[in-house]
Every structure is written in C-alpha cells, then in structure tokens.
Amino acid sequence: MRLRRSPRRAACWAVAAPVLCSAALLGSPVAAAAAEPSPAFTADALSTWQTDGIVWSLASANGVVYVGGTFDSVRPAGAAPGEQQVPRHNFAAFDAVTGALLPCAVPFMGGAGTVRALKPSPDGRVLYVGGSFSRAGSTGVANAVALDTADCALRKDFRPAVSATVRAIEVTDRTVYLGGDFGRIDGQVRRHLAALAPAGSLLAFRADTDAPVRALSAVPSRGKLYAGGDFDTVGGRPAHALVALDATSGAAVRTYPGWLPPRSVVKSLAQDGTRFYVAAEGSGDRVFDGRIAGTVADDRMVWKDTCLGATQAVLPYRGVLYSASHAHDCSATPGGFPERGDRQHLLAQSPRDSRILHWFPDTDEGIGEKVGPRALAVERGVLWVGGEFTRVNGVPQQGLTRFAAGPDTGAPQTPVLSVSSARAGQVTLRWRASWDRDDASLTYLLYRDGRLVSRQVRSSTFWNRPWMSWTDTVAAGTRHEYRIEVTDGTNTSPRSPALRVAVPSGPARTAG
C-alpha cells in the first residue's frame, strides 16, 4: 500500500524573507481529513496493452487478469489504432504485474459476439464466462461456459444452454449464479437469474425478476445473495433494482424501498464482508447515479452519496472504495466537486462516510455509450480498469489501463508567474495554484535571481485552485528575474520561464 505524506508535517517557512502563511492552510480540508483512508495506488497509469473496442468485464486469478468485451484485437501501449494488432476476439488474458499479453486466447464469437461477465471460482482454478456468443473457439455453446485457468481449456462439464445474454456471474464453492436477459436455461424457466452447480447442472433456486439482472454479489457466510438490475419485481413482489435473496432457495429476504428512485437501476455490486456497495445509473430528472453503502449484517444503509454521472462499477480494496463512473456534480458529497461541465471518471471514497479522497486519475468518455470506464479489478496489488475510453490522463490509451502502488512519477504543472504590483523597494508576485492527481498538498518554491526566497505550502484540487502571492522586498531601481517551481514531495515541476521585473524607484505601479 502506498504510504502518503501527512499534510500536517508541511509548514510554511522562508529563506531570506518572511512568508505569510494563509489561515486557510492551517484549517485546510486536507488537515481535517487526515484520518481518512489512503488510496493504495498512484494516479500514474502503467504501460498497458489496448483493445480495439469496449471492455465490459474484468476478472483476476493467480496473477492473471482476464478481459472480456466487444473487440477483435489488442495492441501494445503507444500503438495507434490499426497498428501492431494481435487477434483477440472478445477475450484476452494478461500478466497482472508485468502487463504482458498471455497466450490464453479463446475466441468467443457468434450471437452478438460479446463477453459481458467473467468470474473465477474461489480457488482460482476455473473461470466462468458469460455474454452473448454461440461459439467458444470451434465449440458450439450458448452464452455461458467455463475455462480451466491452468491451460485455458474449455471445460466439458459446464455448458448450460442459456437463452439470452448473461450479464453477471457470481461464484461460491458450491454454486454458480448467472444473471442477465435470459428466460430459460436448459429448457427450464429461469427469468433473468439462475443458479447452477459448478459441474453445470441447474439447481432448484428460483428468483424470477421482471427485467434483466446486471449485478450479483454473494455472502456465503450469511447464506445471502445480493442482486441488482433493471427489475421492479422479484418473484412477483415489488423489489425495485436491488434485492437480497436466500442463496439456496432464491426467496427474497430483504428489499430496499426508497433506496433507488424509479428511473435508477443497479449496474454493479460488491462487498467487503462488512459492507456491501451499490453502483447506480439513472436517466431523466431526479435520478440517483451514485453509490450506496449498506451493512451486510442487517442491511442498514450507511451512506448514500449524491454524485451525478452514472456509476458502472464499484470495488472495495484495502479500506477504500473505488468506482468507475462519469461523475460531474459531487458538490453535496463530502470532499466532492461542483458542476463544471466536465467529468471525473475514476473516484476513491472512504467506506466509512463516502468522503471523496484525493486520487484523480482520469479517462475520456470514449466510444460506444461514451461513459468511460466500465470495469475494475485488482490483482497482485495492481488496479486494472477497462471500458470504452480512448485516453487516460490525457494520453491516447484505449480500453484498458492499470495503476500500481508506485512509483509516483507525475509532477504538478508549473504555475505561471505575473506581477501583481510593484513599487519602490517592493514587488508582489501572483500565481494560481497548480494541482496534482494524487497529492492535495503541494509546495511552491519561488526563486529570485536563482536564489530561493519563498517556500509556501497550499492545498488544491482540480476544481479549487486558489490564487497565491508573494511580496518581495528588494532595493528600489533594481532589476530581477523570478522563477517558480512546485513539488508534491516526490516529483518537481520544471521551473517557470524567467519573469523579469524592473523595480520602480518612484511611486507604486499596479499591474492592470
């Protein structure tokens, strides 16, 4: 886990002249939030292979990350579309740590030709694959199969005949749950949700929903299965978008009236043993697009954030909740940002109180439905992100990206210096605070004629970059060059171009 520098250790001090520390620094949000958990990853993307289409699902086991989606090839990092392509039809596998492309390359074709769900068995020996496809390699199948992870071979025992798209898979030691658009499995009625034995036989579990199931999360220790999706009824009874089911029978044991408005649906579910997390997507006015945390023990809501911008995936990891969305108004969420007309596609939050933490890697919205990232997975301490984006942190990168615990390589942008006022013996310089994707507290180093004359520490975010200033005392009628640089404690920006100032020998002059 990446160790974060404590902002409380930062102090304002000066060399050769006094520094005026802002009162806002001493009571900054960063200091107030010092007890919050720290993200385990830097915001600097690792070199990662790309896809030529959309990644819908990620899964990991035994040091391998599996990628499912709607694509025909992959290409190395830095390669433009159409260059250095390697065939991979809707499915690929990579070394989680090195990012190397692996030979496991079963093509999933036919039907809509897409893989929408991936999930390993608890022991990592089997990978279950769902989507809309009629062939796995040369073998005829029907939307769901299983692979042996040791050799990437198609298993002969798990080949259910699923009548339509599989969108979600959850696996326990004894059961494989499928959710999606289907109405029948192996000729038997199972509306949108079914349970099978690991060897493929259909179980008696019944939890018919009136619309697709998109997310599943099991809690075997409590005999519970959370299901989310587009539905309004389960087993003929009201249960909008979210329900807790008996893991054996499929009977609804808890519904959540009031948690999600009528035009919001559930896209992803996850749990960490203590809390479960809900990712929502809405359409129209008065919808809910954010995340909800509830207690596994008694299904009580812990918090519900208010961010707008549909959430596609949630993932708890080492005390932080990560999410993929296109958030654009989190002004009423602790630590959140206002509506600015742009989007932030990856977030880290405190599971305790929903506070948004200072970790802001970003993607663009990309292709398809243009929502950016759609899937998250962690393996061997590396966070993998998949989706429909085509850029990451402003750099071309399609479909896949990765983030590790370190090293932190991103330097803040260099501020632009200007003269606010000048008078005999005194010059006031002004600049707007920079910001850093994974460090709120930055240190600004101001140089006069190559000598450090001021060091100031300020906190900033991409939506709140305060103006800063420094008043330098120098001899009247002299000339000087000023430069500034900013550091996050690990990486330092280049020094700014020289700002040449002629100090007046007469009355004050203020910049217009």
PDB file of all heavy atoms in Angstrom, residues 264-281:
ATOM      1  N   SER A 264     -33.811   4.815 -11.707  1.00  0.00           N
ATOM      2  CA  SER A 264     -32.428   4.400 -11.463  1.00  0.00           C
ATOM      3  C   SER A 264     -32.347   2.888 -11.373  1.00  0.00           C
ATOM      4  O   SER A 264     -33.245   2.244 -10.825  1.00  0.00           O
ATOM      5  CB  SER A 264     -31.894   5.026 -10.172  1.00  0.00           C
ATOM      6  OG  SER A 264     -31.758   6.423 -10.298  1.00  0.00           O
ATOM      7  N   VAL A 265     -31.267   2.327 -11.915  1.00  0.00           N
ATOM      8  CA  VAL A 265     -31.046   0.884 -11.894  1.00  0.00           C
ATOM      9  C   VAL A 265     -29.675   0.604 -11.283  1.00  0.00           C
ATOM     10  O   VAL A 265     -28.854   1.507 -11.115  1.00  0.00           O
ATOM     11  CB  VAL A 265     -31.131   0.287 -13.310  1.00  0.00           C
ATOM     12  CG1 VAL A 265     -32.507   0.547 -13.922  1.00  0.00           C
ATOM     13  CG2 VAL A 265     -30.026   0.830 -14.211  1.00  0.00           C
ATOM     14  N   VAL A 266     -29.408  -0.655 -10.958  1.00  0.00           N
ATOM     15  CA  VAL A 266     -28.139  -1.061 -10.359  1.00  0.00           C
ATOM     16  C   VAL A 266     -27.253  -1.690 -11.418  1.00  0.00           C
ATOM     17  O   VAL A 266     -27.669  -2.618 -12.112  1.00  0.00           O
ATOM     18  CB  VAL A 266     -28.371  -2.035  -9.192  1.00  0.00           C
ATOM     19  CG1 VAL A 266     -27.046  -2.616  -8.704  1.00  0.00           C
ATOM     20  CG2 VAL A 266     -29.083  -1.325  -8.046  1.00  0.00           C
ATOM     21  N   LYS A 267     -26.019  -1.188 -11.544  1.00  0.00           N
ATOM     22  CA  LYS A 267     -25.076  -1.693 -12.543  1.00  0.00           C
ATOM     23  C   LYS A 267     -23.979  -2.573 -11.949  1.00  0.00           C
ATOM     24  O   LYS A 267     -23.370  -3.361 -12.670  1.00  0.00           O
ATOM     25  CB  LYS A 267     -24.427  -0.517 -13.285  1.00  0.00           C
ATOM     26  CG  LYS A 267     -25.415   0.390 -14.002  1.00  0.00           C
ATOM     27  CD  LYS A 267     -26.195  -0.357 -15.075  1.00  0.00           C
ATOM     28  CE  LYS A 267     -25.359  -0.793 -16.243  1.00  0.00           C
ATOM     29  NZ  LYS A 267     -24.931   0.310 -17.127  1.00  0.00           N
ATOM     30  N   SER A 268     -23.697  -2.420 -10.657  1.00  0.00           N
ATOM     31  CA  SER A 268     -22.606  -3.179 -10.056  1.00  0.00           C
ATOM     32  C   SER A 268     -22.849  -3.322  -8.567  1.00  0.00           C
ATOM     33  O   SER A 268     -23.434  -2.433  -7.936  1.00  0.00           O
ATOM     34  CB  SER A 268     -21.274  -2.461 -10.307  1.00  0.00           C
ATOM     35  OG  SER A 268     -20.188  -3.110  -9.665  1.00  0.00           O
ATOM     36  N   LEU A 269     -22.403  -4.445  -8.003  1.00  0.00           N
ATOM     37  CA  LEU A 269     -22.475  -4.719  -6.567  1.00  0.00           C
ATOM     38  C   LEU A 269     -21.142  -5.297  -6.114  1.00  0.00           C
ATOM     39  O   LEU A 269     -20.490  -6.047  -6.849  1.00  0.00           O
ATOM     40  CB  LEU A 269     -23.590  -5.716  -6.255  1.00  0.00           C
ATOM     41  CG  LEU A 269     -25.030  -5.257  -6.460  1.00  0.00           C
ATOM     42  CD1 LEU A 269     -25.965  -6.464  -6.442  1.00  0.00           C
ATOM     43  CD2 LEU A 269     -25.436  -4.257  -5.389  1.00  0.00           C
ATOM     44  N   ALA A 270     -20.748  -4.974  -4.895  1.00  0.00           N
ATOM     45  CA  ALA A 270     -19.541  -5.555  -4.308  1.00  0.00           C
ATOM     46  C   ALA A 270     -19.691  -5.521  -2.802  1.00  0.00           C
ATOM     47  O   ALA A 270     -20.510  -4.777  -2.263  1.00  0.00           O
ATOM     48  CB  ALA A 270     -18.297  -4.786  -4.746  1.00  0.00           C
ATOM     49  N   GLN A 271     -18.902  -6.315  -2.100  1.00  0.00           N
ATOM     50  CA  GLN A 271     -18.938  -6.313  -0.640  1.00  0.00           C
ATOM     51  C   GLN A 271     -17.573  -6.687  -0.098  1.00  0.00           C
ATOM     52  O   GLN A 271     -16.776  -7.335  -0.762  1.00  0.00           O
ATOM     53  CB  GLN A 271     -20.031  -7.255  -0.108  1.00  0.00           C
ATOM     54  CG  GLN A 271     -19.971  -8.674  -0.613  1.00  0.00           C
ATOM     55  CD  GLN A 271     -19.100  -9.587   0.232  1.00  0.00           C
ATOM     56  OE1 GLN A 271     -18.808  -9.285   1.386  1.00  0.00           O
ATOM     57  NE2 GLN A 271     -18.693 -10.713  -0.340  1.00  0.00           N
ATOM     58  N   ASP A 272     -17.296  -6.224   1.122  1.00  0.00           N
ATOM     59  CA  ASP A 272     -16.003  -6.485   1.747  1.00  0.00           C
ATOM     60  C   ASP A 272     -16.118  -7.314   3.019  1.00  0.00           C
ATOM     61  O   ASP A 272     -15.190  -7.379   3.812  1.00  0.00           O
ATOM     62  CB  ASP A 272     -15.279  -5.173   2.045  1.00  0.00           C
ATOM     63  CG  ASP A 272     -16.086  -4.226   2.939  1.00  0.00           C
ATOM     64  OD1 ASP A 272     -17.069  -4.682   3.566  1.00  0.00           O
ATOM     65  OD2 ASP A 272     -15.734  -3.029   3.011  1.00  0.00           O
ATOM     66  N   GLY A 273     -17.277  -7.946   3.204  1.00  0.00           N
ATOM     67  CA  GLY A 273     -17.512  -8.745   4.392  1.00  0.00           C
ATOM     68  C   GLY A 273     -18.241  -7.996   5.477  1.00  0.00           C
ATOM     69  O   GLY A 273     -18.954  -8.592   6.287  1.00  0.00           O
ATOM     70  N   THR A 274     -18.082  -6.687   5.515  1.00  0.00           N
ATOM     71  CA  THR A 274     -18.752  -5.840   6.499  1.00  0.00           C
ATOM     72  C   THR A 274     -19.837  -4.990   5.857  1.00  0.00           C
ATOM     73  O   THR A 274     -20.945  -4.879   6.367  1.00  0.00           O
ATOM     74  CB  THR A 274     -17.741  -4.925   7.198  1.00  0.00           C
ATOM     75  OG1 THR A 274     -16.751  -5.730   7.848  1.00  0.00           O
ATOM     76  CG2 THR A 274     -18.420  -4.040   8.228  1.00  0.00           C
ATOM     77  N   ARG A 275     -19.501  -4.401   4.710  1.00  0.00           N
ATOM     78  CA  ARG A 275     -20.445  -3.563   3.990  1.00  0.00           C
ATOM     79  C   ARG A 275     -20.629  -4.076   2.565  1.00  0.00           C
ATOM     80  O   ARG A 275     -19.731  -4.695   2.002  1.00  0.00           O
ATOM     81  CB  ARG A 275     -19.954  -2.112   3.946  1.00  0.00           C
ATOM     82  CG  ARG A 275     -19.918  -1.417   5.301  1.00  0.00           C
ATOM     83  CD  ARG A 275     -19.561   0.052   5.120  1.00  0.00           C
ATOM     84  NE  ARG A 275     -19.656   0.773   6.393  1.00  0.00           N
ATOM     85  CZ  ARG A 275     -18.636   1.029   7.187  1.00  0.00           C
ATOM     86  NH1 ARG A 275     -17.439   0.598   6.851  1.00  0.00           N
ATOM     87  NH2 ARG A 275     -18.802   1.692   8.325  1.00  0.00           N
ATOM     88  N   PHE A 276     -21.788  -3.792   2.002  1.00  0.00           N
ATOM     89  CA  PHE A 276     -21.977  -4.023   0.573  1.00  0.00           C
ATOM     90  C   PHE A 276     -22.180  -2.679  -0.103  1.00  0.00           C
ATOM     91  O   PHE A 276     -22.636  -1.711   0.513  1.00  0.00           O
ATOM     92  CB  PHE A 276     -23.133  -4.994   0.296  1.00  0.00           C
ATOM     93  CG  PHE A 276     -24.516  -4.449   0.581  1.00  0.00           C
ATOM     94  CD1 PHE A 276     -25.302  -3.907  -0.431  1.00  0.00           C
ATOM     95  CD2 PHE A 276     -25.054  -4.513   1.866  1.00  0.00           C
ATOM     96  CE1 PHE A 276     -26.574  -3.429  -0.175  1.00  0.00           C
ATOM     97  CE2 PHE A 276     -26.323  -4.036   2.133  1.00  0.00           C
ATOM     98  CZ  PHE A 276     -27.089  -3.492   1.112  1.00  0.00           C
ATOM     99  N   TYR A 277     -21.810  -2.614  -1.379  1.00  0.00           N
ATOM    100  CA  TYR A 277     -21.785  -1.356  -2.112  1.00  0.00           C
ATOM    101  C   TYR A 277     -22.587  -1.484  -3.403  1.00  0.00           C
ATOM    102  O   TYR A 277     -22.511  -2.496  -4.096  1.00  0.00           O
ATOM    103  CB  TYR A 277     -20.343  -0.957  -2.424  1.00  0.00           C
ATOM    104  CG  TYR A 277     -19.488  -0.892  -1.186  1.00  0.00           C
ATOM    105  CD1 TYR A 277     -18.714  -1.984  -0.799  1.00  0.00           C
ATOM    106  CD2 TYR A 277     -19.482   0.241  -0.383  1.00  0.00           C
ATOM    107  CE1 TYR A 277     -17.944  -1.938   0.347  1.00  0.00           C
ATOM    108  CE2 TYR A 277     -18.712   0.293   0.771  1.00  0.00           C
ATOM    109  CZ  TYR A 277     -17.942  -0.797   1.134  1.00  0.00           C
ATOM    110  OH  TYR A 277     -17.193  -0.752   2.284  1.00  0.00           O
ATOM    111  N   VAL A 278     -23.336  -0.433  -3.699  1.00  0.00           N
ATOM    112  CA  VAL A 278     -24.248  -0.413  -4.836  1.00  0.00           C
ATOM    113  C   VAL A 278     -23.825   0.694  -5.789  1.00  0.00           C
ATOM    114  O   VAL A 278     -23.591   1.831  -5.363  1.00  0.00           O
ATOM    115  CB  VAL A 278     -25.693  -0.162  -4.372  1.00  0.00           C
ATOM    116  CG1 VAL A 278     -26.658  -0.141  -5.553  1.00  0.00           C
ATOM    117  CG2 VAL A 278     -26.118  -1.201  -3.329  1.00  0.00           C
ATOM    118  N   ALA A 279     -23.730   0.375  -7.079  1.00  0.00           N
ATOM    119  CA  ALA A 279     -23.458   1.372  -8.115  1.00  0.00           C
ATOM    120  C   ALA A 279     -24.716   1.557  -8.943  1.00  0.00           C
ATOM    121  O   ALA A 279     -25.287   0.587  -9.433  1.00  0.00           O
ATOM    122  CB  ALA A 279     -22.317   0.903  -9.013  1.00  0.00           C
ATOM    123  N   ALA A 280     -25.139   2.808  -9.108  1.00  0.00           N
ATOM    124  CA  ALA A 280     -26.418   3.087  -9.770  1.00  0.00           C
ATOM    125  C   ALA A 280     -26.238   3.936 -11.022  1.00  0.00           C
ATOM    126  O   ALA A 280     -25.292   4.727 -11.136  1.00  0.00           O
ATOM    127  CB  ALA A 280     -27.368   3.800  -8.816  1.00  0.00           C
ATOM    128  N   GLU A 281     -27.179   3.762 -11.935  1.00  0.00           N
ATOM    129  CA  GLU A 281     -27.264   4.575 -13.141  1.00  0.00           C
ATOM    130  C   GLU A 281     -28.706   5.017 -13.312  1.00  0.00           C
ATOM    131  O   GLU A 281     -29.630   4.207 -13.188  1.00  0.00           O
ATOM    132  CB  GLU A 281     -26.824   3.768 -14.363  1.00  0.00           C
ATOM    133  CG  GLU A 281     -26.965   4.506 -15.685  1.00  0.00           C
ATOM    134  CD  GLU A 281     -26.587   3.632 -16.859  1.00  0.00           C
ATOM    135  OE1 GLU A 281     -27.426   2.805 -17.269  1.00  0.00           O
ATOM    136  OE2 GLU A 281     -25.459   3.752 -17.356  1.00  0.00           O
TER     137      GLU A 281
END
